[in-house]
Short mmCIF file of all heavy atoms in Angstrom, two decimals:
data_model
loop_
_atom_site.label_atom_id
_atom_site.label_comp_id
_atom_site.label_asym_id
_atom_site.label_seq_id
_atom_site.Cartn_x
_atom_site.Cartn_y
_atom_site.Cartn_z
N TYR A 1 71.03 -107.11 122.80
CA TYR A 1 70.94 -106.24 123.95
C TYR A 1 69.53 -106.28 124.53
O TYR A 1 68.55 -106.37 123.80
CB TYR A 1 71.24 -104.80 123.55
CG TYR A 1 72.63 -104.58 123.03
CD1 TYR A 1 72.88 -104.54 121.67
CD2 TYR A 1 73.68 -104.40 123.90
CE1 TYR A 1 74.15 -104.32 121.19
CE2 TYR A 1 74.96 -104.18 123.43
CZ TYR A 1 75.19 -104.15 122.07
OH TYR A 1 76.45 -103.93 121.60
N LEU A 2 69.44 -106.17 125.83
CA LEU A 2 68.17 -106.02 126.52
C LEU A 2 68.34 -104.98 127.62
O LEU A 2 69.38 -104.95 128.30
CB LEU A 2 67.72 -107.33 127.17
CG LEU A 2 67.25 -108.45 126.26
CD1 LEU A 2 66.99 -109.70 127.09
CD2 LEU A 2 65.99 -108.04 125.53
N VAL A 3 67.35 -104.14 127.78
CA VAL A 3 67.32 -103.24 128.93
C VAL A 3 66.53 -103.97 130.01
O VAL A 3 65.40 -104.40 129.77
CB VAL A 3 66.66 -101.89 128.57
CG1 VAL A 3 66.52 -101.03 129.81
CG2 VAL A 3 67.47 -101.17 127.50
N MET A 4 67.15 -104.13 131.19
CA MET A 4 66.51 -104.90 132.26
C MET A 4 66.78 -104.24 133.60
O MET A 4 67.73 -103.48 133.76
CB MET A 4 67.07 -106.33 132.30
CG MET A 4 66.85 -107.12 131.03
SD MET A 4 67.37 -108.85 131.17
CE MET A 4 69.14 -108.68 131.07
N SER A 5 65.93 -104.59 134.56
CA SER A 5 66.15 -104.16 135.95
C SER A 5 65.40 -105.11 136.87
O SER A 5 64.49 -105.82 136.45
CB SER A 5 65.69 -102.73 136.16
OG SER A 5 64.29 -102.63 136.03
N ALA A 6 65.81 -105.10 138.14
CA ALA A 6 65.15 -105.89 139.17
C ALA A 6 65.32 -105.17 140.50
O ALA A 6 66.39 -104.63 140.78
CB ALA A 6 65.74 -107.29 139.25
N GLN A 7 64.26 -105.14 141.30
CA GLN A 7 64.37 -104.50 142.62
C GLN A 7 65.33 -105.26 143.52
O GLN A 7 66.07 -104.69 144.29
CB GLN A 7 63.00 -104.39 143.27
CG GLN A 7 62.15 -103.31 142.66
CD GLN A 7 60.88 -103.09 143.46
OE1 GLN A 7 60.38 -103.99 144.14
NE2 GLN A 7 60.33 -101.89 143.36
N ASN A 8 65.26 -106.59 143.46
CA ASN A 8 66.20 -107.46 144.16
C ASN A 8 66.99 -108.20 143.08
O ASN A 8 66.43 -108.61 142.08
CB ASN A 8 65.46 -108.47 145.04
CG ASN A 8 64.64 -107.77 146.11
OD1 ASN A 8 65.13 -106.91 146.82
ND2 ASN A 8 63.37 -108.12 146.18
N GLU A 9 68.29 -108.36 143.30
CA GLU A 9 69.12 -108.99 142.27
C GLU A 9 68.53 -110.30 141.79
O GLU A 9 68.15 -111.16 142.59
CB GLU A 9 70.53 -109.23 142.80
CG GLU A 9 71.46 -109.75 141.71
CD GLU A 9 72.89 -109.91 142.20
OE1 GLU A 9 73.18 -110.97 142.78
OE2 GLU A 9 73.68 -108.98 141.98
N ALA A 10 68.47 -110.44 140.48
CA ALA A 10 67.94 -111.65 139.85
C ALA A 10 69.05 -112.31 139.04
O ALA A 10 69.92 -111.62 138.49
CB ALA A 10 66.77 -111.31 138.94
N THR A 11 69.01 -113.62 138.97
CA THR A 11 69.97 -114.36 138.15
C THR A 11 69.22 -114.97 136.98
O THR A 11 68.22 -115.67 137.16
CB THR A 11 70.66 -115.47 138.96
OG1 THR A 11 71.33 -114.87 140.08
CG2 THR A 11 71.66 -116.23 138.11
N LEU A 12 69.71 -114.69 135.79
CA LEU A 12 69.14 -115.24 134.57
C LEU A 12 70.15 -116.19 133.95
O LEU A 12 71.36 -115.96 134.06
CB LEU A 12 68.84 -114.13 133.55
CG LEU A 12 67.66 -113.21 133.81
CD1 LEU A 12 67.79 -112.44 135.08
CD2 LEU A 12 67.47 -112.28 132.64
N ARG A 13 69.68 -117.24 133.32
CA ARG A 13 70.57 -118.15 132.59
C ARG A 13 70.18 -118.06 131.12
O ARG A 13 69.01 -118.15 130.77
CB ARG A 13 70.47 -119.57 133.11
CG ARG A 13 71.54 -120.49 132.49
CD ARG A 13 71.61 -121.83 133.18
NE ARG A 13 71.95 -121.75 134.58
CZ ARG A 13 73.20 -121.74 135.07
NH1 ARG A 13 74.22 -121.78 134.27
NH2 ARG A 13 73.40 -121.69 136.36
N ILE A 14 71.19 -117.89 130.26
CA ILE A 14 70.98 -117.67 128.84
C ILE A 14 71.30 -118.94 128.06
O ILE A 14 72.37 -119.54 128.24
CB ILE A 14 71.88 -116.53 128.33
CG1 ILE A 14 71.76 -115.28 129.22
CG2 ILE A 14 71.58 -116.21 126.86
CD1 ILE A 14 70.38 -114.70 129.32
N TYR A 15 70.36 -119.33 127.18
CA TYR A 15 70.52 -120.52 126.34
C TYR A 15 70.38 -120.13 124.87
O TYR A 15 69.56 -119.28 124.52
CB TYR A 15 69.43 -121.56 126.64
CG TYR A 15 69.52 -122.14 128.03
CD1 TYR A 15 68.97 -121.48 129.12
CD2 TYR A 15 70.15 -123.36 128.25
CE1 TYR A 15 69.05 -122.01 130.40
CE2 TYR A 15 70.24 -123.89 129.53
CZ TYR A 15 69.69 -123.22 130.59
OH TYR A 15 69.76 -123.74 131.86
N ILE A 16 71.19 -120.74 124.03
CA ILE A 16 71.08 -120.61 122.58
C ILE A 16 70.87 -122.01 122.02
O ILE A 16 71.66 -122.92 122.29
CB ILE A 16 72.37 -120.01 121.96
CG1 ILE A 16 72.54 -118.58 122.40
CG2 ILE A 16 72.37 -120.11 120.45
CD1 ILE A 16 71.59 -117.62 121.74
N ASP A 17 69.80 -122.17 121.28
CA ASP A 17 69.48 -123.46 120.66
C ASP A 17 69.48 -124.61 121.67
O ASP A 17 69.97 -125.70 121.40
CB ASP A 17 70.45 -123.75 119.50
CG ASP A 17 70.38 -122.68 118.43
OD1 ASP A 17 69.29 -122.12 118.22
OD2 ASP A 17 71.42 -122.39 117.80
N GLY A 18 68.95 -124.34 122.87
CA GLY A 18 68.80 -125.38 123.88
C GLY A 18 70.03 -125.65 124.72
O GLY A 18 69.99 -126.50 125.62
N LYS A 19 71.13 -124.93 124.48
CA LYS A 19 72.36 -125.14 125.24
C LYS A 19 72.78 -123.83 125.91
O LYS A 19 72.54 -122.76 125.37
CB LYS A 19 73.49 -125.63 124.32
CG LYS A 19 73.19 -126.95 123.66
CD LYS A 19 74.29 -127.36 122.72
CE LYS A 19 73.90 -128.65 122.02
NZ LYS A 19 74.84 -129.00 120.98
N VAL A 20 73.42 -123.95 127.07
CA VAL A 20 73.92 -122.75 127.74
C VAL A 20 74.84 -122.02 126.77
O VAL A 20 75.69 -122.62 126.12
CB VAL A 20 74.68 -123.11 129.04
CG1 VAL A 20 75.34 -121.89 129.65
CG2 VAL A 20 73.74 -123.74 130.05
N VAL A 21 74.63 -120.71 126.66
CA VAL A 21 75.41 -119.91 125.71
C VAL A 21 76.90 -120.07 126.00
O VAL A 21 77.32 -120.12 127.15
CB VAL A 21 74.98 -118.43 125.75
CG1 VAL A 21 75.33 -117.77 127.07
CG2 VAL A 21 75.58 -117.65 124.61
N GLY A 22 77.68 -120.20 124.96
CA GLY A 22 79.13 -120.38 125.11
C GLY A 22 79.87 -119.19 124.55
O GLY A 22 79.83 -118.10 125.11
N THR A 23 80.50 -119.39 123.41
CA THR A 23 81.34 -118.35 122.82
C THR A 23 80.55 -117.15 122.32
O THR A 23 81.13 -116.10 122.09
CB THR A 23 82.16 -118.92 121.64
OG1 THR A 23 81.26 -119.45 120.65
CG2 THR A 23 83.10 -120.01 122.11
N MET A 24 79.25 -117.27 122.17
CA MET A 24 78.42 -116.16 121.71
C MET A 24 77.94 -115.27 122.85
O MET A 24 77.18 -114.34 122.64
CB MET A 24 77.21 -116.69 120.93
CG MET A 24 77.58 -117.30 119.60
SD MET A 24 76.20 -118.13 118.75
CE MET A 24 74.86 -116.99 118.93
N ARG A 25 78.40 -115.51 124.07
CA ARG A 25 77.91 -114.74 125.21
C ARG A 25 78.41 -113.31 125.14
O ARG A 25 79.53 -113.03 124.74
CB ARG A 25 78.30 -115.40 126.52
CG ARG A 25 79.77 -115.42 126.81
CD ARG A 25 80.04 -116.23 128.09
NE ARG A 25 81.45 -116.51 128.21
CZ ARG A 25 82.32 -115.70 128.80
NH1 ARG A 25 81.91 -114.58 129.33
NH2 ARG A 25 83.59 -116.02 128.85
N GLY A 26 77.53 -112.40 125.55
CA GLY A 26 77.88 -110.99 125.61
C GLY A 26 78.70 -110.68 126.85
O GLY A 26 78.87 -111.52 127.74
N SER A 27 79.17 -109.47 126.93
CA SER A 27 80.08 -109.08 128.02
C SER A 27 79.43 -109.10 129.40
O SER A 27 80.13 -109.15 130.41
CB SER A 27 80.67 -107.70 127.74
OG SER A 27 79.66 -106.74 127.59
N ASP A 28 78.10 -109.10 129.48
CA ASP A 28 77.42 -109.16 130.77
C ASP A 28 77.07 -110.58 131.20
O ASP A 28 76.47 -110.78 132.26
CB ASP A 28 76.15 -108.31 130.74
CG ASP A 28 76.47 -106.83 130.73
OD1 ASP A 28 77.23 -106.38 131.61
OD2 ASP A 28 75.98 -106.13 129.83
N VAL A 29 77.45 -111.56 130.39
CA VAL A 29 77.12 -112.96 130.68
C VAL A 29 78.38 -113.67 131.18
O VAL A 29 79.43 -113.61 130.54
CB VAL A 29 76.57 -113.68 129.43
CG1 VAL A 29 76.24 -115.13 129.74
CG2 VAL A 29 75.35 -112.96 128.89
N ALA A 30 78.28 -114.32 132.33
CA ALA A 30 79.41 -115.06 132.90
C ALA A 30 79.66 -116.34 132.10
O ALA A 30 78.83 -116.77 131.30
CB ALA A 30 79.12 -115.40 134.37
N GLU A 31 80.80 -116.95 132.34
CA GLU A 31 81.17 -118.18 131.61
C GLU A 31 80.15 -119.29 131.80
O GLU A 31 79.99 -120.14 130.93
CB GLU A 31 82.55 -118.65 132.04
CG GLU A 31 83.67 -117.78 131.50
CD GLU A 31 85.04 -118.34 131.81
OE1 GLU A 31 85.18 -119.56 132.03
OE2 GLU A 31 85.99 -117.54 131.83
N ASP A 32 79.45 -119.30 132.94
CA ASP A 32 78.45 -120.35 133.18
C ASP A 32 77.09 -120.02 132.56
O ASP A 32 76.10 -120.72 132.77
CB ASP A 32 78.29 -120.63 134.67
CG ASP A 32 77.73 -119.45 135.46
OD1 ASP A 32 77.54 -118.36 134.88
OD2 ASP A 32 77.49 -119.63 136.67
N GLY A 33 77.02 -118.91 131.78
CA GLY A 33 75.79 -118.54 131.10
C GLY A 33 74.82 -117.72 131.92
O GLY A 33 73.69 -117.51 131.51
N THR A 34 75.26 -117.20 133.07
CA THR A 34 74.37 -116.43 133.92
C THR A 34 74.59 -114.93 133.78
O THR A 34 75.69 -114.47 133.46
CB THR A 34 74.52 -116.80 135.40
OG1 THR A 34 75.87 -116.58 135.81
CG2 THR A 34 74.13 -118.25 135.66
N VAL A 35 73.51 -114.19 134.02
CA VAL A 35 73.56 -112.73 134.08
C VAL A 35 72.93 -112.33 135.40
O VAL A 35 71.86 -112.82 135.75
CB VAL A 35 72.73 -112.10 132.93
CG1 VAL A 35 72.75 -110.59 133.02
CG2 VAL A 35 73.22 -112.57 131.58
N ARG A 36 73.57 -111.45 136.13
CA ARG A 36 73.01 -110.92 137.36
C ARG A 36 72.42 -109.55 137.06
O ARG A 36 73.14 -108.65 136.64
CB ARG A 36 74.07 -110.85 138.45
CG ARG A 36 74.62 -112.22 138.81
CD ARG A 36 75.22 -112.22 140.18
NE ARG A 36 75.92 -113.44 140.52
CZ ARG A 36 75.40 -114.64 140.65
NH1 ARG A 36 74.14 -114.81 140.42
NH2 ARG A 36 76.12 -115.67 141.00
N VAL A 37 71.12 -109.42 137.28
CA VAL A 37 70.40 -108.19 136.95
C VAL A 37 69.97 -107.50 138.22
O VAL A 37 69.37 -108.12 139.10
CB VAL A 37 69.16 -108.49 136.08
CG1 VAL A 37 68.35 -107.24 135.84
CG2 VAL A 37 69.57 -109.14 134.76
N SER A 38 70.28 -106.22 138.32
CA SER A 38 69.79 -105.40 139.43
C SER A 38 69.53 -104.00 138.91
O SER A 38 68.39 -103.56 138.86
CB SER A 38 70.77 -105.40 140.60
OG SER A 38 72.04 -104.95 140.19
N ASP A 39 70.56 -103.30 138.50
CA ASP A 39 70.42 -101.93 138.02
C ASP A 39 69.62 -101.87 136.72
O ASP A 39 69.69 -102.77 135.89
CB ASP A 39 71.79 -101.31 137.77
CG ASP A 39 72.63 -101.22 139.03
OD1 ASP A 39 72.03 -101.12 140.11
OD2 ASP A 39 73.86 -101.26 138.92
N HIS A 40 68.90 -100.77 136.55
CA HIS A 40 68.16 -100.52 135.31
C HIS A 40 69.18 -100.02 134.28
O HIS A 40 69.65 -98.89 134.35
CB HIS A 40 67.08 -99.47 135.54
CG HIS A 40 66.17 -99.29 134.38
ND1 HIS A 40 65.02 -100.01 134.23
CD2 HIS A 40 66.27 -98.51 133.28
CE1 HIS A 40 64.43 -99.66 133.11
NE2 HIS A 40 65.17 -98.75 132.52
N ARG A 41 69.54 -100.91 133.33
CA ARG A 41 70.55 -100.55 132.33
C ARG A 41 70.50 -101.51 131.15
O ARG A 41 69.74 -102.48 131.15
CB ARG A 41 71.95 -100.54 132.94
CG ARG A 41 72.46 -101.92 133.36
CD ARG A 41 73.88 -101.81 133.88
NE ARG A 41 74.46 -103.09 134.23
CZ ARG A 41 75.10 -103.90 133.39
NH1 ARG A 41 75.23 -103.58 132.12
NH2 ARG A 41 75.60 -105.04 133.82
N LEU A 42 71.33 -101.23 130.17
CA LEU A 42 71.46 -102.07 128.98
C LEU A 42 72.40 -103.23 129.29
O LEU A 42 73.52 -103.00 129.77
CB LEU A 42 72.02 -101.23 127.83
CG LEU A 42 72.14 -101.92 126.48
CD1 LEU A 42 70.77 -102.09 125.85
CD2 LEU A 42 73.03 -101.08 125.57
N TYR A 43 71.96 -104.45 129.06
CA TYR A 43 72.77 -105.64 129.27
C TYR A 43 73.11 -106.26 127.93
O TYR A 43 72.24 -106.46 127.08
CB TYR A 43 72.02 -106.67 130.13
CG TYR A 43 71.85 -106.24 131.57
CD1 TYR A 43 70.80 -105.41 131.94
CD2 TYR A 43 72.74 -106.65 132.55
CE1 TYR A 43 70.64 -105.00 133.26
CE2 TYR A 43 72.59 -106.24 133.87
CZ TYR A 43 71.54 -105.42 134.21
OH TYR A 43 71.39 -105.02 135.52
N LYS A 44 74.39 -106.58 127.73
CA LYS A 44 74.84 -107.21 126.49
C LYS A 44 74.75 -108.72 126.68
O LYS A 44 75.54 -109.32 127.42
CB LYS A 44 76.27 -106.78 126.15
CG LYS A 44 76.68 -107.15 124.76
CD LYS A 44 77.95 -106.45 124.37
CE LYS A 44 78.23 -106.67 122.90
NZ LYS A 44 79.44 -105.95 122.49
N ILE A 45 73.78 -109.34 126.01
CA ILE A 45 73.47 -110.75 126.21
C ILE A 45 74.20 -111.65 125.21
O ILE A 45 74.73 -112.69 125.57
CB ILE A 45 71.93 -110.97 126.09
CG1 ILE A 45 71.18 -110.10 127.09
CG2 ILE A 45 71.57 -112.44 126.26
CD1 ILE A 45 71.50 -110.39 128.52
N ILE A 46 74.17 -111.26 123.94
CA ILE A 46 74.76 -112.07 122.86
C ILE A 46 75.70 -111.20 122.06
O ILE A 46 75.41 -110.05 121.76
CB ILE A 46 73.66 -112.63 121.93
CG1 ILE A 46 72.70 -113.54 122.70
CG2 ILE A 46 74.27 -113.37 120.74
CD1 ILE A 46 73.32 -114.81 123.22
N GLU A 47 76.83 -111.77 121.67
CA GLU A 47 77.76 -111.10 120.76
C GLU A 47 78.22 -112.12 119.72
O GLU A 47 78.84 -113.13 120.06
CB GLU A 47 78.97 -110.55 121.52
CG GLU A 47 79.90 -109.76 120.63
CD GLU A 47 81.01 -109.10 121.43
OE1 GLU A 47 80.89 -108.98 122.64
OE2 GLU A 47 81.99 -108.69 120.79
N ASP A 48 77.88 -111.84 118.46
CA ASP A 48 78.24 -112.75 117.38
C ASP A 48 78.32 -111.96 116.09
O ASP A 48 77.44 -111.15 115.81
CB ASP A 48 77.20 -113.88 117.26
CG ASP A 48 77.64 -114.98 116.32
OD1 ASP A 48 78.85 -115.16 116.12
OD2 ASP A 48 76.76 -115.67 115.80
N ASP A 49 79.35 -112.17 115.31
CA ASP A 49 79.53 -111.44 114.06
C ASP A 49 78.75 -112.04 112.90
O ASP A 49 78.57 -111.40 111.87
CB ASP A 49 81.01 -111.39 113.68
CG ASP A 49 81.82 -110.55 114.65
OD1 ASP A 49 81.24 -109.64 115.27
OD2 ASP A 49 83.03 -110.80 114.80
N GLU A 50 78.31 -113.29 113.05
CA GLU A 50 77.60 -113.97 111.97
C GLU A 50 76.10 -113.93 112.20
O GLU A 50 75.63 -114.08 113.32
CB GLU A 50 78.07 -115.42 111.86
CG GLU A 50 79.53 -115.54 111.49
CD GLU A 50 79.96 -116.98 111.35
OE1 GLU A 50 79.10 -117.84 111.05
OE2 GLU A 50 81.16 -117.25 111.54
N TYR A 51 75.36 -113.74 111.10
CA TYR A 51 73.90 -113.75 111.16
C TYR A 51 73.42 -115.16 110.86
O TYR A 51 73.85 -115.79 109.90
CB TYR A 51 73.30 -112.77 110.14
CG TYR A 51 73.55 -111.34 110.51
CD1 TYR A 51 74.62 -110.64 109.99
CD2 TYR A 51 72.70 -110.70 111.41
CE1 TYR A 51 74.85 -109.33 110.35
CE2 TYR A 51 72.92 -109.39 111.78
CZ TYR A 51 74.00 -108.71 111.23
OH TYR A 51 74.23 -107.41 111.59
N ALA A 52 72.55 -115.68 111.70
CA ALA A 52 71.97 -117.01 111.51
C ALA A 52 70.72 -117.10 112.37
O ALA A 52 70.51 -116.29 113.28
CB ALA A 52 72.96 -118.10 111.92
N GLU A 53 69.91 -118.07 112.09
CA GLU A 53 68.69 -118.28 112.88
C GLU A 53 69.01 -119.12 114.10
O GLU A 53 69.64 -120.18 114.00
CB GLU A 53 67.63 -118.98 112.02
CG GLU A 53 66.30 -119.07 112.72
CD GLU A 53 65.21 -119.60 111.81
OE1 GLU A 53 65.17 -119.22 110.64
OE2 GLU A 53 64.41 -120.41 112.31
N HIS A 54 68.61 -118.61 115.26
CA HIS A 54 68.83 -119.30 116.53
C HIS A 54 67.61 -119.12 117.41
O HIS A 54 66.81 -118.22 117.20
CB HIS A 54 70.04 -118.72 117.28
CG HIS A 54 71.34 -118.90 116.60
ND1 HIS A 54 72.03 -120.09 116.61
CD2 HIS A 54 72.09 -118.04 115.87
CE1 HIS A 54 73.15 -119.96 115.93
NE2 HIS A 54 73.21 -118.71 115.46
N THR A 55 67.50 -119.95 118.42
CA THR A 55 66.47 -119.79 119.44
C THR A 55 67.15 -119.31 120.72
O THR A 55 68.07 -119.96 121.22
CB THR A 55 65.74 -121.12 119.70
OG1 THR A 55 65.14 -121.55 118.49
CG2 THR A 55 64.68 -120.96 120.77
N LEU A 56 66.71 -118.16 121.22
CA LEU A 56 67.24 -117.59 122.45
C LEU A 56 66.25 -117.88 123.57
O LEU A 56 65.06 -117.61 123.45
CB LEU A 56 67.42 -116.08 122.30
CG LEU A 56 67.79 -115.31 123.56
CD1 LEU A 56 69.18 -115.70 124.04
CD2 LEU A 56 67.72 -113.81 123.29
N GLU A 57 66.75 -118.44 124.66
CA GLU A 57 65.90 -118.73 125.82
C GLU A 57 66.55 -118.09 127.03
O GLU A 57 67.76 -118.21 127.24
CB GLU A 57 65.80 -120.24 126.01
CG GLU A 57 64.92 -120.65 127.16
CD GLU A 57 64.83 -122.16 127.30
OE1 GLU A 57 65.30 -122.89 126.42
OE2 GLU A 57 64.29 -122.59 128.33
N ILE A 58 65.73 -117.40 127.83
CA ILE A 58 66.21 -116.75 129.05
C ILE A 58 65.40 -117.31 130.21
O ILE A 58 64.18 -117.14 130.25
CB ILE A 58 66.05 -115.23 128.96
CG1 ILE A 58 66.83 -114.69 127.75
CG2 ILE A 58 66.51 -114.58 130.25
CD1 ILE A 58 66.58 -113.23 127.47
N ARG A 59 66.06 -117.96 131.13
CA ARG A 59 65.40 -118.52 132.31
C ARG A 59 65.73 -117.65 133.52
O ARG A 59 66.88 -117.34 133.77
CB ARG A 59 65.85 -119.95 132.56
CG ARG A 59 65.47 -120.89 131.44
CD ARG A 59 65.86 -122.31 131.75
NE ARG A 59 65.69 -123.16 130.58
CZ ARG A 59 66.12 -124.41 130.51
NH1 ARG A 59 66.73 -124.96 131.54
NH2 ARG A 59 65.93 -125.10 129.39
N VAL A 60 64.69 -117.28 134.26
CA VAL A 60 64.84 -116.40 135.42
C VAL A 60 64.70 -117.23 136.68
O VAL A 60 63.88 -118.16 136.75
CB VAL A 60 63.76 -115.29 135.38
CG1 VAL A 60 63.91 -114.34 136.54
CG2 VAL A 60 63.81 -114.55 134.05
N ASP A 61 65.47 -116.88 137.71
CA ASP A 61 65.49 -117.64 138.97
C ASP A 61 64.22 -117.50 139.81
O ASP A 61 64.14 -118.04 140.89
CB ASP A 61 66.71 -117.27 139.80
CG ASP A 61 66.67 -115.83 140.33
OD1 ASP A 61 65.69 -115.10 140.06
OD2 ASP A 61 67.63 -115.44 141.01
N GLY A 62 63.23 -116.76 139.34
CA GLY A 62 61.99 -116.58 140.09
C GLY A 62 61.83 -115.17 140.61
O GLY A 62 60.74 -114.77 141.00
N THR A 63 62.91 -114.40 140.65
CA THR A 63 62.86 -113.00 141.08
C THR A 63 62.25 -112.18 139.95
O THR A 63 62.65 -112.32 138.80
CB THR A 63 64.27 -112.49 141.40
OG1 THR A 63 64.86 -113.34 142.38
CG2 THR A 63 64.25 -111.06 141.89
N PRO A 64 61.29 -111.31 140.23
CA PRO A 64 60.70 -110.48 139.17
C PRO A 64 61.75 -109.61 138.47
O PRO A 64 62.59 -108.99 139.13
CB PRO A 64 59.68 -109.61 139.89
CG PRO A 64 59.35 -110.38 141.13
CD PRO A 64 60.63 -111.08 141.52
N VAL A 65 61.69 -109.60 137.14
CA VAL A 65 62.61 -108.82 136.32
C VAL A 65 61.80 -108.04 135.31
O VAL A 65 60.86 -108.57 134.71
CB VAL A 65 63.61 -109.75 135.58
CG1 VAL A 65 64.53 -108.94 134.67
CG2 VAL A 65 64.42 -110.57 136.55
N GLU A 66 62.15 -106.77 135.11
CA GLU A 66 61.56 -105.98 134.05
C GLU A 66 62.48 -106.06 132.84
O GLU A 66 63.69 -105.84 132.97
CB GLU A 66 61.40 -104.53 134.49
CG GLU A 66 60.39 -104.35 135.59
CD GLU A 66 60.21 -102.89 135.98
OE1 GLU A 66 60.78 -102.00 135.34
OE2 GLU A 66 59.50 -102.65 136.96
N VAL A 67 61.92 -106.38 131.67
CA VAL A 67 62.72 -106.54 130.45
C VAL A 67 62.10 -105.71 129.34
O VAL A 67 60.88 -105.77 129.12
CB VAL A 67 62.76 -108.03 130.02
CG1 VAL A 67 63.58 -108.20 128.75
CG2 VAL A 67 63.31 -108.90 131.13
N TYR A 68 62.94 -104.96 128.66
CA TYR A 68 62.51 -104.14 127.53
C TYR A 68 63.39 -104.46 126.33
O TYR A 68 64.61 -104.43 126.44
CB TYR A 68 62.64 -102.65 127.86
CG TYR A 68 61.89 -102.27 129.11
CD1 TYR A 68 62.51 -102.28 130.35
CD2 TYR A 68 60.55 -101.92 129.05
CE1 TYR A 68 61.82 -101.94 131.51
CE2 TYR A 68 59.85 -101.57 130.20
CZ TYR A 68 60.50 -101.58 131.42
OH TYR A 68 59.81 -101.26 132.56
N ALA A 69 62.77 -104.80 125.21
CA ALA A 69 63.52 -105.09 123.99
C ALA A 69 63.10 -104.08 122.92
O ALA A 69 61.95 -103.74 122.81
CB ALA A 69 63.22 -106.51 123.51
N PHE A 70 64.06 -103.64 122.15
CA PHE A 70 63.82 -102.67 121.09
C PHE A 70 64.35 -103.23 119.78
O PHE A 70 65.39 -103.88 119.75
CB PHE A 70 64.57 -101.35 121.38
CG PHE A 70 64.22 -100.74 122.68
CD1 PHE A 70 64.95 -101.02 123.82
CD2 PHE A 70 63.14 -99.88 122.79
CE1 PHE A 70 64.63 -100.45 125.04
CE2 PHE A 70 62.80 -99.30 124.01
CZ PHE A 70 63.56 -99.59 125.14
N THR A 71 63.63 -103.00 118.70
CA THR A 71 64.12 -103.35 117.38
C THR A 71 64.04 -102.12 116.49
O THR A 71 63.16 -101.28 116.64
CB THR A 71 63.30 -104.49 116.74
OG1 THR A 71 61.94 -104.07 116.66
CG2 THR A 71 63.39 -105.76 117.54
N PHE A 72 64.97 -102.00 115.59
CA PHE A 72 65.02 -100.88 114.68
C PHE A 72 65.20 -101.43 113.27
O PHE A 72 65.90 -102.38 113.05
CB PHE A 72 66.19 -99.95 115.01
CG PHE A 72 66.13 -99.40 116.40
CD1 PHE A 72 66.76 -100.04 117.46
CD2 PHE A 72 65.42 -98.25 116.66
CE1 PHE A 72 66.72 -99.53 118.73
CE2 PHE A 72 65.34 -97.72 117.94
CZ PHE A 72 66.00 -98.37 118.97
N GLY A 73 64.57 -100.75 112.32
CA GLY A 73 64.79 -101.12 110.93
C GLY A 73 63.60 -101.73 110.28
O GLY A 73 62.58 -102.02 110.74
#
């Protein structure tokens, strides 16, 4: 999860291990791996039941985006 917002709608593309996210995409990610960010809210980026080491990459279309990440534990 990430809390994000943008004054003007921004398009982000989500990659896992160098590839556009596929079956691990969260409910806010389209089939093509994009997320449209505008409202200040929680975005579900990744959904996976298995724990493993991965590299997450988020590419922004150039529109400024505010991103907040939280960890607990």
Side-chain angles (χ1 to χ4, degrees):
Y1 297 98
L2 289 174
V3 175
M4 300 186 284
S5 67
Q7 285 188 334
N8 299 309
E9 185 176 85
T11 301
L12 286 61
R13 188 170 299 272
I14 310 300
Y15 294 83
I16 293 287
D17 300 327
K19 298 177 183 172
V20 173
V21 67
T23 59
M24 291 172 45
R25 66 186 167 88
S27 58
D28 288 307
V29 180
E31 287 186 24
D32 65 355
T34 59
V35 178
R36 297 203 188 295
V37 175
S38 57
D39 298 332
H40 187 91
R41 68 177 183 87
L42 184 74
Y43 290 84
K44 192 167 189 178
I45 303 298
I46 299 294
E47 184 174 343
D48 190 25
D49 293 334
E50 296 182 26
Y51 290 95
E53 187 173 319
H54 295 282
T55 300
L56 173 66
E57 182 179 350
I58 301 172
R59 296 183 189 171
V60 182
D61 67 0
T63 304
V65 178
E66 293 182 6
V67 180
Y68 304 92
F70 304 91
T71 59
F72 301 92

